[in-house]
Amino acid sequence: MRAISVKEVSKLKGNIEIQGSKNTVLPIMAATLLSSGVSVIYNCPDIDDVAVMCQLLACLHVKTNRVGNTLTIDTREAAYEPLPLSLTGKLRSSVLLLGPILARWGKARIGMPGGCAIGLRPVDIHLEGFMKMNVDIRLHRDILDCSTFHLQGCEYHLRFPSVGATENLIMAAVGARGRTILRGAAKEPEIVELCNYLLAMGALIEGVGTDVLIIKGTDVLTSCDYCNVYDRIVAGTYLLMAAAIPSDITLTGIDDIHYMKNIIKVASQIGVSVVKMENCLHVQSFGKVDGGDFETGIYPEFPTDLQPVLVAVLAKAKKDSSVTERVFEKRFGIVRELEKLGADITVKGQRAEIKGNTELYGHTLKAADLRQGAALVVAGLFSRGYTTVTNISYIERGYEDIVRDLQCVGAEIAYV
Ligand code: UD1
């Protein structure tokens, strides 16, 4: 089993090129199924989740071809097939194929999605929305059997602004008959990107970027290309990391910081100075973390995906801090591992209380989900001596090469 070994570092200096966004590209890959043609996706990250999505598309006779960070998707010979649990179980986003498959073929037999073990992560909102659209759904031994005579536009209020359910229902609605109104929709940047991509394909969507989306179904969608945005969570990982280590680094490939406002705000509060320059962020710090009380939330609040990195960095703060998790009900998997480094953290329900002024000492740690794994690597950079992070396949689901990135800023880090 591969692992990452990282040594405590005294300063970080250099450039990191920020990869393309995972959470944006996965729904857009699913959306290519809505038309028959060839789509080119630029700046597509070379990560395991994208590779699994390609395998799922291959089950549907879709051809994909990667050259560098350009992914070509050819849906001209796409044909309906059931999607096996052995593949869908590897990825939460496999469920995003349900909407496009139903829009294209009116039936879907698909294994339940997998993904990181962060809370229950049910798909009831996705399914309730599909049922409103006239889909008959049965679940038997983790296989969803769905069929519809035709998808019918509907009015649906999501009980929680689930990102995935919003994406899935939008993709179904663009191929449904009549008008769909989604209320209580998620407004994450990835949804805006998906809507803009669908609009370019010929979809009719109003209210993009708001929590009420009005979608008129159409059957004339054409394939189109997409230039992927940078990954705001990967950028945020390195931005927060800078708080705990004296830093003078540049994050390149960041053209627009609109979607990072709250991440930059929190980074600034804990001691990072961030200056936007052309196509990059210049990041400096003295490596002295200012503690505080923070909360995750739905966009535009601080993203839950960066909560493990924030908790890790606050373990180095000068004073006590707290982080309250408002999106997932069980997302403090980082705490047990940080305790092995010497961190003093108490979890009370959805809130982690983190003692300041603690010395952290390198240890062997185990990644148990994507963002927690990345946070452990970051923690290794500011823990005495050496830290080894095992189970790194979780990290490779979403980070192209965290070792390469951190070497670029002078870290002593390697695969072992
Ligand atoms: C997406 C992101 C993930 C991020 C999350 C929240 C992708 C590929 N993943 O995940 O990185 O952490 O948004 O920003 O884009 N829920 C239900 N029923 C449902 C769906 C969700 O109860 O049918 C609950 C979940 O258990 C969770 C909350 O809603 O507590 C948020 O989930 P959701 O927004 O759906 O996250 P994902 O789309 O899976």
Side-chain angles (χ1 to χ4, degrees):
M1 197 196 302
R2 287 161 67 245
I4 291 175
S5 169
V6 51
K7 187 179 173 208
E8 183 188 18
V9 66
S10 56
K11 67 171 192 304
L12 296 172
K13 190 170 172 55
N15 297 344
I16 302 178
E17 174 75 29
I18 300 299
Q19 67 183 67
S21 165
K22 168 178 95 69
N23 289 355
T24 304
V25 88
L26 291 170
I28 283 178
M29 289 174 73
T32 61
L33 271 181
L34 290 164
S35 70
S36 180
V38 179
S39 314
V40 182
I41 300 181
Y42 301 98
N43 197 25
C44 178
D46 192 0
I47 52 175
D48 287 359
D49 274 12
V50 166
V52 176
M53 191 56 118
C54 287
Q55 289 173 29
L56 285 159
L57 289 171
C59 294
L60 299 163
H61 305 275
V62 173
K63 295 191 182 82
T64 58
N65 182 39
R66 174 186 282 281
V67 179
N69 277 345
T70 302
L71 182 73
T72 304
I73 303 180
D74 182 348
T75 59
R76 285 173 298 183
E77 286 169 21
Y80 172 76
E81 295 284 351
L83 295 180
L85 186 60
S86 54
L87 265 185
T88 59
K90 288 186 177 175
L91 186 67
R92 171 78 178 169
S93 295
S94 56
V95 74
L96 298 180
L97 291 163
L98 198 46
I101 291 176
L102 286 169
R104 189 152 175 174
W105 292 294
K107 59 179 175 182
R109 186 170 232 256
I110 169 170
M112 284 290 274
C116 292
I118 42 173
L120 289 172
R121 304 194 97 183
V123 288
D124 60 311
I125 305 173
H126 302 241
L127 301 186
E128 191 177 64
F130 287 133
M131 286 192 277
K132 286 257 183 193
M133 284 183 172
N134 213 16
V135 180
D136 181 47
I137 301 176
R138 279 152 224 263
L139 175 65
H140 182 61
R141 293 193 175 170
D142 280 347
I143 305 286
L144 284 165
D145 235 318
C146 310
S147 62
T148 177
F149 186 57
H150 66 78
L151 284 174
Q152 180 62 52
C154 70
E155 279 202 46
Y156 179 56
H157 194 135
L158 286 74
R159 72 168 167 80
F160 180 87
S162 153
V163 175
T166 302
E167 292 166 344
N168 224 345
L169 297 173
I170 294 170
M171 290 190 279
V174 297
R177 283 195 197 164
R179 188 177 72 159
T180 298
I181 303 180
L182 297 177
R183 297 184 201 281
K187 299 181 286 190
E188 263 65 6
E190 294 73 23
I191 289 169
V192 174
E193 286 296 309
L194 174 65
C195 287
N196 287 337
Y197 181 70
L198 293 168
L199 287 167
M201 288 176 84
L204 306 165
I205 308 173
E206 286 173 33
V208 175
T210 74
D211 60 358
V212 181
L213 294 164
I214 303 171
I215 302 154
K216 272 198 204 139
T218 172
D219 47 15
V220 284
L221 294 174
T222 47
S223 298
C224 63
D225 299 345
Y226 175 67
C227 187
N228 192 17
V229 295
Y230 71 91
D231 195 308
R232 67 191 174 104
I233 304 300
V234 172
T237 303
Y238 301 140
L239 200 53
L240 297 172
M241 161 188 84
I245 305 152
S247 300
D248 182 5
I249 61 179
T250 306
L251 305 179
T252 56
I254 299 183
D255 44 1
D256 183 345
I257 53 166
H258 181 71
Y259 292 148
M260 281 195 65
K261 269 195 186 145
N262 250 322
I263 302 172
I264 292 175
K265 187 173 155 203
V266 168
S268 309
Q269 281 170 355
I270 61 172
V272 182
S273 138
V274 185
V275 179
K276 168 80 180 94
M277 293 160 80
E278 204 189 331
N279 208 34
C280 68
L281 286 187
H282 188 209
V283 179
Q284 287 181 304
S285 89
F286 296 111
K288 304 256 178 271
V289 185
D290 291 322
D293 299 307
F294 302 94
E295 279 190 15
T296 68
I298 55 172
Y299 186 80
E301 287 163 45
F302 184 79
T304 170
D305 283 351
L306 285 173
Q307 177 257 100
V309 187
L310 181 61
V311 170
V313 167
L314 289 173
K316 269 278 282 181
K318 290 174 279 177
K319 60 171 191 171
D320 296 355
S321 304
S322 73
V323 177
T324 304
E325 170 58 52
R326 298 248 180 249
V327 180
F328 287 100
E329 78 279 15
K330 212 177 132 196
R331 199 176 194 173
F332 284 122
I334 181 88
V335 170
R336 214 178 44 195
E337 297 306 300
L338 291 177
E339 282 169 350
K340 294 180 186 164
L341 299 176
D344 183 352
I345 305 173
T346 310
V347 177
K348 292 182 182 155
Q350 296 296 94
R351 181 178 148 100
E353 293 173 357
I354 306 146
K355 277 256 172 287
N357 262 326
T358 31
E359 280 299 329
L360 304 181
Y361 294 89
H363 206 282
T364 297
L365 308 174
K366 193 169 172 187
D369 77 60
L370 160 59
R371 306 299 171 189
Q372 176 256 20
L376 294 179
V377 173
V378 166
L381 291 170
F382 50 81
S383 300
R384 293 265 171 88
Y386 286 88
T387 296
T388 301
V389 180
T390 62
N391 267 16
I392 59 169
S393 54
Y394 282 107
I395 302 172
E396 290 168 337
R397 293 183 48 183
Y399 290 76
E400 270 191 343
D401 193 342
I402 197 167
V403 166
R404 172 199 66 197
D405 288 353
L406 295 175
Q407 282 171 344
C408 286
V409 288
E412 277 188 50
I413 179 169
Y415 293 105
V416 288

